[in-house]
Amino acid sequence: MQLYHHPFDLDSQRVRLALEEKSIDYTSHHVNPVTGKNLDSSFFKMNPGGRLPVFQNGSHILYKTIDIIQYIERIAVFSSGSENISSSSKEVIEWMQKIQEWNPKYFSLFHVPEKYRIYVSKFLRRVVIARMSESPELAGAYHRKLKEAYQTEEKLKESDVLIRSKEHLIRLLDEAENQLSETPYLAGQEFTMADVMLIPVLSRLVLLELENEYITGRPNIAEYWVLVQQRPSYRKVIGRYFDGWKKHKTLLKTWCFVRVRSFLKRY
């Protein structure tokens, strides 16, 4: 089993948390979207959208996060041979879908300083153009990716895009806060795949230094956040990259790569 992912990507974090929680072995392939590695022709042929994560088991390839997680659950049930292990309940799946409906893309980009955001955006557009010329057979897919990049920049000029994203996030967190007043985890007494979906959202808020605004003021979520950070899966998938000084190392390494490639005009 192969997983193409990156520590920055929320959906990649969700899939890796599921793999760790279910103790599934897999081969890890880092594909950094900020440096344009998801635009390499080898990856683009497998996934023309260039999005992460991508899960491959033999000839079977999955792109959608919830589909991948449910597939992982089926593998865990089959591997264990135990009747005590079951797939996610209807309630868990409903939570998973509800969390997935919030798109972190524009929310995250709005909170990145504009000069850095624009610099990386220009770099990635140049990467797309370079790859298009290297692989003319994929020109149509690359053109769609380039169009998407320009549309993203236009969306970021609209203040109501951020407002709608924030309102959606607040509704989601408020609902989670209410649920966590009754149970220690999102879908009951036990840790489930619903928690796997929520943890990266909270981690992203902390990374963007928005913990006080969105987490601290919700006591049940704040307590839950402390609890889930103790899990080995969290420490391996997220904590090792973003806890404390590690987040600066992770982000600085990527920023230096983009700067050097831009300076050398090697896209």
Side-chain angles (χ1 to χ4, degrees):
M1 285 178 285
Q2 317 284 321
L3 180 67
Y4 299 84
H5 67 98
H6 196 267
F8 296 141
D9 180 65
L10 263 73
D11 285 328
S12 293
Q13 292 172 354
R14 288 162 173 159
V15 169
R16 288 196 66 217
L17 285 169
L19 286 164
E20 295 299 329
E21 289 289 339
K22 297 298 182 180
S23 300
I24 302 293
D25 290 330
Y26 64 97
T27 301
S28 170
H29 302 279
H30 275 205
V31 181
N32 192 335
V34 181
T35 62
K37 290 299 181 182
N38 60 318
L39 301 171
D40 288 354
S41 59
S42 57
F43 184 78
F44 227 59
K45 287 175 183 176
M46 179 174 59
N47 177 19
R51 293 182 177 85
L52 298 174
V54 175
F55 184 83
Q56 183 177 14
N57 187 10
S59 61
H60 194 51
I61 300 176
L62 295 170
Y63 310 107
K64 295 181 179 179
T65 303
I66 293 178
D67 289 348
I68 297 172
I69 291 175
Q70 291 180 317
Y71 186 80
I72 290 168
E73 286 190 296
R74 291 195 293 273
I75 292 173
V77 171
F78 179 79
S79 300
S80 69
S82 172
E83 297 180 358
N84 296 325
I85 299 179
S86 60
S87 297
S88 292
S89 66
K90 180 180 178 182
E91 181 184 4
V92 170
I93 293 172
E94 286 176 353
W95 267 111
M96 291 170 68
Q97 292 171 339
K98 194 178 301 182
I99 296 167
Q100 186 69 16
E101 286 172 1
W102 180 67
N103 186 344
K105 177 180 177 179
Y106 294 112
F107 181 88
S108 297
L109 289 174
F110 266 112
H111 288 90
V112 174
E114 186 177 15
K115 65 176 181 178
Y116 298 123
R117 191 186 75 224
I118 292 175
Y119 190 93
V120 172
S121 179
K122 288 180 178 178
F123 170 80
L124 290 176
R125 292 200 298 270
R126 288 167 181 158
V127 171
V128 173
I129 293 169
R131 297 296 172 273
M132 192 185 301
S133 108
E134 293 169 1
S135 305
E137 73 279 11
L138 296 172
Y142 280 122
H143 181 73
R144 287 191 293 273
K145 198 66 179 176
L146 189 60
K147 183 179 179 181
E148 180 185 310
Y150 280 112
Q151 289 174 337
T152 296
E153 284 302 308
E154 289 301 312
K155 282 281 188 183
L156 291 170
K157 296 175 184 177
E158 304 174 16
S159 59
D160 62 325
V161 172
L162 175 60
I163 293 171
R164 289 197 300 271
S165 182
K166 287 179 68 172
E167 289 174 346
H168 190 164
L169 174 62
I170 289 169
R171 288 195 301 272
L172 174 63
L173 293 177
D174 285 346
E175 191 167 349
E177 174 72 6
N178 290 335
Q179 177 61 42
L180 292 169
S181 68
E182 301 175 3
T183 56
Y185 295 103
L186 201 54
Q189 299 299 318
E190 303 294 332
F191 186 93
T192 68
M193 295 298 104
D195 301 293
V196 159
M197 294 293 291
L198 183 61
I199 288 171
V201 174
L202 302 181
S203 175
R204 175 59 57 88
L205 293 172
V206 173
L207 181 64
L208 295 173
E209 299 182 350
L210 298 171
E211 184 174 3
N212 289 337
E213 183 176 352
Y214 290 97
I215 297 176
T216 307
R218 294 177 172 86
N220 297 315
I221 289 182
E223 183 178 349
Y224 168 85
W225 176 233
V226 172
L227 176 65
V228 296
Q229 287 181 84
Q230 308 309 310
R231 298 187 75 83
S233 62
Y234 169 87
R235 292 198 292 268
K236 184 170 183 178
V237 173
I238 301 175
R240 67 179 293 188
Y241 298 102
F242 295 110
D243 282 355
W245 62 271
K246 297 174 186 176
K247 75 173 183 179
H248 301 292
K249 178 183 176 182
T250 302
L251 296 171
L252 183 61
K253 182 179 178 181
T254 296
W255 176 243
C256 287
F257 180 96
V258 172
R259 291 281 292 182
V260 170
R261 286 300 180 96
S262 295
F263 178 76
L264 297 175
K265 299 187 183 300
R266 293 181 59 187
Y267 307 112

